[in-house]
């Protein structure tokens, strides 16, 4: 087994549809400074110094081999940044290419087809328009498909988009979910063992059928917007971990020391970030860091997010081994249901007020 991190995959070529700008739009990104072209630009959308950082690169094969130095690197990156990237993960370039292509086909379906897949009241799955936003209720520039991990429930969404079925889409999505799930489980094992916990500590309450275990496809098309444009507003992610794959068009920014830092997209790697649940389970050792997406060009951007939360009735609390006299529990126990209703009650999750409600010492 190779022990060095894989080189970034050269799998994006100009002949692939998802790297194209959408038809009938100008494809040249506006030249710097954007303000000259768009007098009403919100300069606060620029990242600090307009520079990009490269996230710490973690070699998944080394984690599989329980390499202590690599586990240590993982924990440090999670602690200091809440974000890292994973390479040498075994997911083929072909599959990454195919899923990006399938996402492109789904998002460029006629509006009527997408509208058929809009979720019924109370359902978190299906097609979410720009108005309803990628997280179901906040307005933003992205559209999203939220697909359940459960294959039968997923088929219910797919059939609404393609009444005749779509084997290529279904099988590529299934293969992608299986591949990314195994990355997720390995990372959770490494986090737990690095902390000296039972390796399954963070996976006990995960449920594939749980309504919040989801593959979300995001699609950003800024062609009709002034640039730069806030495409996904500042938020922290709810799950334990989020595993993100981007199509190579930049836009992700993370908030570090009160400054927005742009993340350099690395083709072929996955961005992994700590979600609110891991922040709680780790008793605040690992922060769930606030991030957003800012579009600076009208290139078509897509991303895939696999987010795994404990099931709705699971009780979430700091791992008992991480609660000491010096560091008492920072949270009162709560259920996922309680967490999501707290999240629903806030207009804007970037303050993390939804999570702070469960702090033992209210902030
Ligand atoms: C998200 C998210 C970032 C991206 O879906 O929660 O932060 O790059 N997405 O699309
Ligand atoms: Ni996010």
């Amino acid at each position: 087994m190779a022990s060095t991190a894989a080189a970034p995959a050269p799998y994006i070529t100009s002949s692939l549809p998802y790297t194209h700008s959408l038809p009938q739009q100008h494809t040249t990104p506006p030249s710097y400074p954007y303000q000259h072209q768009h007098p009403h630009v919100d300069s606060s959308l620029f990242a600090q110094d307009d520079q990009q950082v490269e996230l710490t690169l973690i070699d998944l094969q080394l984690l599989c081999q329980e390499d202590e130095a690599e586990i240590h690197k993982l924990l440090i990156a999670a602690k200091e940044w809440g974000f890292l990237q994973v390479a040498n993960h075994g997911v083929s370039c072909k599959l990454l290419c195919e899923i990006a292509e399938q996402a492109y086909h789904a998002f460029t379906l006629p509006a009527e087809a997408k509208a058929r897949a809009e979720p019924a009241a109370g359902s978190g799955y299906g097609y979410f328009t720009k108005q309803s936003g990628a997280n179901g209720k906040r307005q933003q520039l992205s559209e999203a498909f939220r697909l359940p991990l459960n294959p039968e429930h997923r088929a219910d969404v797919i059939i609404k988009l393609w009444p005749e079925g779509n084997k290529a889409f279904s099988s590529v999505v299934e293969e992608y979910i299986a591949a990314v799930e195994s990355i997720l489980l390995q990372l959770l094992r490494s986090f737990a063992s690095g902390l000296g916990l039972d390796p399954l500590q963070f996976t006990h309450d995960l449920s594939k059928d749980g309504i919040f275990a989801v593959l979300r496809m995001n699609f950003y098309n800024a062609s009709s917007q002034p640039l730069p444009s806030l495409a996904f507003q500042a938020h922290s992610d709810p799950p334990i971990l989020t595993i993100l794959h981007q199509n190579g068009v930049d836009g992700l920014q993370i908030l570090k020391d009160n400054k927005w830092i742009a993340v350099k997209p690395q083709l072929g790697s996955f961005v992994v970030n700590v979600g609110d649940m891991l922040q709680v389970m780790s008793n605040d050792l690992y922060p769930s860091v606030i991030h957003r997406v800012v579009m600076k060009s009208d290139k078509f951007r897509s991303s895939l997010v696999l987010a795994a939360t404990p099931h709705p009735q699971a009780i979430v609390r700091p791992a008992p081994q991480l609660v000491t006299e010096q560091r008492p529990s920072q949270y009162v126990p709560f259920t996922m249901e309680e967490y999501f209703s707290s999240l629903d009650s806030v207009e804007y999750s970037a303050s993390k007020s939804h999570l702070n409600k469960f702090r033992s010492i209210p902030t």
Side-chain angles (χ1 to χ4, degrees), residues 83 134-135 142 216-220 232-233 235-239 242 244-247 249-253 271 273 291-293 301-305 307:
F83 272 76
N135 62 359
S142 52
R216 196 174 63 227
M217 297 175 157
N218 295 316
F219 175 90
Y220 306 88
F232 200 137
Q233 71 177 16
H235 65 284
S236 64
D237 288 348
T242 296
L244 170 77
H245 184 255
Q246 310 161 83
N247 76 332
V249 176
D250 62 3
L252 181 63
Q253 296 181 357
V271 169
N273 64 290
H291 53 285
R292 66 181 184 180
V293 177
R301 181 175 196 276
S302 71
S303 66
L304 297 156
V305 171

Side-chain angles (χ1 to χ4, degrees), residues 140 270 351:
Q140 41 219 348
F270 290 92
S351 63

Side-chain angles (χ1 to χ4, degrees), residues 32 34 58 66 92 119 145 147 165 180 206 262 277 280 310 325 341:
Y32 184 83
Y34 299 107
I58 299 293
E66 295 175 28
S92 70
F145 287 107
L147 301 172
V180 179
L206 278 182
M277 291 313 109
V280 173
E325 217 170 288
S341 65

